Amino acid sequence: MAVSKDKIRNFSIIAHIDHGKSTLADRLLELTKSVALRDMTEQILDDMDLERERGITIKAHAVKLDYTAQDGEVYELNLIDTPGHVDFNYEVSRSLAACEGAILVVDATQGIEAQTLANTYLALDHDLEVVPVINKIDLPSAMPDEVANEIEDVIGLDCSVAPRVSAKTGLNVEQVLERIVQDIPAPTGNDSAPLRALIFDSVYDSYRGVIVYVRIMDGKIKAGDTMKMMQTGAAFTVVEVGYMRAQSMEPAEELCAGEVGYITASIKTVRDANVGDTVTLATNPALEPLPGYRSVLPMVFCGVYPADGNDYEALRDALEKLRLNDAALSFEPETSGVLGFGFRCGFLGLLHLEIIQERLEREYDLDLVTTIPSVIYKIHMTDGSVIEIDNPTHYPNPANIDFCEEPFTNAHIYSPAEYVGTIMDLCQTRRGIFKGMDYITKDRVDILYELPLNEIIYDFFDSLKSRTRGYASFDYEICDYRRSNLVKLDVLLNGDVIDALSFIIHSDMAYGKARKIAERLKDNIPRQMFEIPVQVAIGGKVIARETIKAMRKDVLAKCYGGDITRKKKLLEKQKEGKKRMRSFGSVEVPQEAFMAVLKLDDNN
Amino acid sequence: MPVGLYIHIPFCRGKCPYCDFYSVLPSKGIIDRYADCICSHLKEHSDRRFDTVYFGGGSPSLTRAKNIARMIECANLYGNPEITVECNPSDCGESGFDFEKAASAGVNRISLGMQSAVDSERKTLGRRADAGDVLNAVKRAQSAGIDNISLDLMLGTPGQNSESLKRSVDFCFSSGAKHISAYILKIEEGTRFFRIKDKLSLPDDDETADLYLKCVELIEENGMKQYEISNFAFQGFESRHNLKYWHCEQYLGLGPAAHSFIDGRRFYYERNLEEYMKNPTAVPDGEGGSFEEYAMLALRLTEGLQNSKVKERFNFDIPAEIFENAKRFEQNGLIKICDDTISLTAKGFLVSNAVIGSLII
C-alpha cells in the first residue's frame, strides 16, 4: 500500500571504506524490524562474498524500510546503496539522482577521508540534503568533537544535531532514523504526469529475467502496462511491480511518483535496462528523458585466457553468466599465438577488471592468464583512415601510421597535504599535466591532473596508495583524445615474439620499461636446457636484452641404493611442474613470470 | 638367474650432517642380534642365488668381520661373486675392522667413505678420520689382499674449490684405488645441513657444475673411465652390484630401508629397525622393469640406451620420438647419438633429470 508522498524518504549512505556503512545499514534494518534478528548475519546488504572481503560495495542495492517515527507517523524509507569506487562513478551518480538525501558516515577516529569527500560533493551537486553521522564513538580513540568541527569546516555541514553513534553496538542509531525523517525532504513529482522512472540498477534473475530497480520521478506504473526505455527504445510488457524488502520482494499494485521499487517485464538482458535510462509508458510517453544518461562503455581491455586450454568453454559460459548482470562487461573471442584461445574483455576500469577476474577464478573455479590491460587508441593512417585498437596485436605497421591518439582523463586526487610532493612525482612519471590544486582545508588538498588513461589503468591506484600510506584517493573521467607519440613494445623469447606481452606505450617510457621487463623475465623464468635471449623491441629494433643462462645442474647424483621408485617419482613430479608452464616455442614460462611482467610498477 | 643381494647395516656412531640414510646408534649386543636376524631372513631366500653382495649402511664397518662372515655364509652364493663392504675410515684403524677375516670370508671389494682428502672439508662434513686414516684403511685392505677399492668423493661441499678437488682426486690415484664414486652433495630434508643450509657457504649451481666437470676431467686424465653419472673405474673394476640397479636387473635388499626388485615387483622394508627385527614386512612399491624405467636408468650410464639391448629385452625398438627428442639435446652437447645408441655427455649428466624427463617420462 502506497503511503502519501510526504511520508517517503529516499536516501543513500556515503562512507569511506571501513567507516561503517554496511554496519550502519544493518542496524537501520534491524531497528525498522525489516529483518528478524535471528536472520541477521553481519552486513546483510553486501551479499557477494567478494564485497565482504574487499569491504566495498560493487553493485547498488536498495531496500524499503517502514519506520514509525517519534511523531507517531509511519514513514517509508528507501535506502539506496551505492558502489564505492571510481570505476563505478557513473553508477554512483545515478543512485544519488534517485535520492533526495544522503547520510554521510564519518569515522570518529579517522575524520573525513578523500573518497568520502568526492562522493559528498557528488551528492551536493545533485542537490541532496546531506545528513552527517559520526560513527564509532564507542572506540577509545574516538574524537567526535574534532570530527564534527572538521565536517563543519571542510564541507560546511551543520553538525550540531549530527547523531553520534556506534553502528557496532547500536548506540544512538535511532537518532539517525529521526534525522532522515526530519532533515531529508520528501520527494516531489506528479502522479498524473507521463511516467518517468530512473533506472539506478538492474539485476538478472534466472526466473524473472531482469529486475529493474527504479525511482519513479513522475507518473505511475503497474503490471500490464507497456513500458518503454527512452534511450534504447526497447519496449516490454510489465509483469510485476513492487518494493524491495531486505529479504524478499513485495509485489504492489502500482508504483507512484516519489517511490522506489522494482519492475519485472521478462527482459532478457541487463543491456536492455541500462543504468541511467528513463522508463516511460508506450501510451502517453514522456517528452524528455531524465538528464544524466551515459551509455556505459568499457574503457580498459585485456585478454583473458584459461590457464588450461580445456577450460575455454567453461570460461565462455562463466563470462556469459557474468555479462547477464553486468552491462559494462564486454567480451569477444580472441586467439593468441602463445596463449591459445581466449577472450578480449572490456571493463570500466582496473577494479572492474580485477573483480571480474576474481569472480571468474573464485565462483567459477577457473585458472586464468590475463594480458596487459590496454585502452582504446585511435590510429590515424597515412591514407587518412582512422582505426581504433584495444589490442596491441592489431597495432599496424608503423610505416603506415600518420599519428596516434590516446585517451586522456581529468583526474582529481584527494590527499592530506603532506603527500603533495610524492603525488606530483608520481603523476609526473605518468606523463601527467598539472592543472591546479585546491586546499580543501589547511591540510587537505584536491590536486587536479590531466593523465593519460593508459598510465592509470593498472597500477596507478596501487602506487598512489602505497605512496600516501592509503590516505589519498582519486577519481577520474575521460576528457578527450590527444595526439601522442606511441610505440608498440614486443617481447621476444628465444627470438619469438610473445604476443601476449606486447603493449603500447609512450615512446619516452619505452626504454625504461623495456629494461625492466627484460630483467623481470630473466629473474622469473627458470633456467632451461638452452640459453634463452630475452629481448624487448620496437618494430625490429631491440632496445633491451637479457640472457637466461642455460641450466647447469639438475641431477640426482646418488641413486639411492635400489630405490628406483623414488627417482621415477621425482622425474614425474618435475614433469607435472612443467605442465603448469606455458611453452613458447622451446621456452617454458611459468605463470609467475607473466604476472611479474604484468604487475610491473614504479616501485620495483 | 642369479640376483644381487643388498644388506643394509643400519648402525652409525653418529649422524653425518648431510646424510639421510637410515641408521641408528647401536646399543650393546644389537649388531650381533641384527646379524642373526639377517641370517635367518637369508635362509628364507635360499632359493635365490646371489652373484653380488653389497653391505651398505649405515656403517657396515661397525659390524665385526665375524658377523659379515656369518651373513655371507648364509647367502646362497653363485659363481664368482663380487662382495663389497662399505667402510667408514674411522672404523678401520689397527683395532678396527678386520680386513683379513673379511677377505677370508669372501669380501673382495671395499668402498671407503672418504668424501674428501682435505681435512678441513672432511671436518665440515662431520667425518672424524683424517686423510692419514683414510690412507691407512686403504693400505690395510690392500695388504689383506683386497685390491678392488673404491673411494667416495663429494662434490659441491662447503668451501670446496677446484684446487682442493684436485688434491682429493690426486689422493685417490696415489692411494691405488680402482674406483671412485663422486657424488654431488644434495641437501636432503631432515638433515643438519638442511637446517643450516643458509649458513653453509655452499658453491652455487654453476660452481658445482664446474666442479663436477673438472672432476670428470681429472679422473679421466688419470686413466679411469666414467661409466655412470657419479661412478668411475679402471677398466674391469666397475661395480657389478651397482650396475644391476642401472641395468634394471633383479636384486634383493634386506634390512630396514632396503629396496628390492624381484620378479617384476618392487618392494622395500620400512625405516624401522625394531619392527624389522620383530617382523619384517615387505611394503609393495609397484611394478618395476617397464621400458621407461629401464631407459631412465640406462641413461645414467655412459653406455646409454642401446637399441639392440632394448630390442632383446622388450622386443621393440626405441620409439622414434625419443631419437627425435634427443636430437634437440645433441645440438647443445648434452647428448651423443651414435648409431642405435643415445647417451648423455658429462654436461648432459649434470642436467640429467631434465634431459631424461623430457626424453622418457
Side-chain angles (χ1 to χ4, degrees), chain A residues 527 552 554 557 560 562 565, chain B residues 188 206 210 230 251 285 300 350:
Chain A
R527 292 165 71 166
R552 293 291 307 282
D554 177 19
Y560 284 75
T565 312
Chain B
E188 300 283 357
D206 285 320
D210 288 337
S230 311
Y251 50 91
D285 202 14
R300 294 183 67 86
L350 270 170

Side-chain angles (χ1 to χ4, degrees), chain A residues 552, chain B residues 212-213 216 226 333-334 336 344-351:
Chain A
R552 293 291 307 282
Chain B
Y212 175 84
L213 294 177
V216 172
Q226 181 170 27
L334 301 176
K336 276 184 301 202
L344 272 62
T345 62
K347 239 174 89 187
F349 283 141
L350 270 170
V351 288

Side-chain angles (χ1 to χ4, degrees), chain A residues 17 46 50-58 84-85 351 355:
Chain A
I17 292 171
D46 293 346
L50 204 62
E51 291 186 20
R52 255 179 238 190
E53 273 171 42
R54 293 191 159 223
I56 51 170
T57 312
I58 296 160
H85 188 275
L351 179 85
I355 288 168

Side-chain angles (χ1 to χ4, degrees), chain A residues 323-342:
Chain A
R323 184 163 64 175
L324 284 176
N325 238 334
D326 189 340
L329 171 66
S330 73
F331 66 92
E332 58 185 41
E334 101 173 342
T335 314
S336 151
V338 291
L339 296 173
F341 294 104

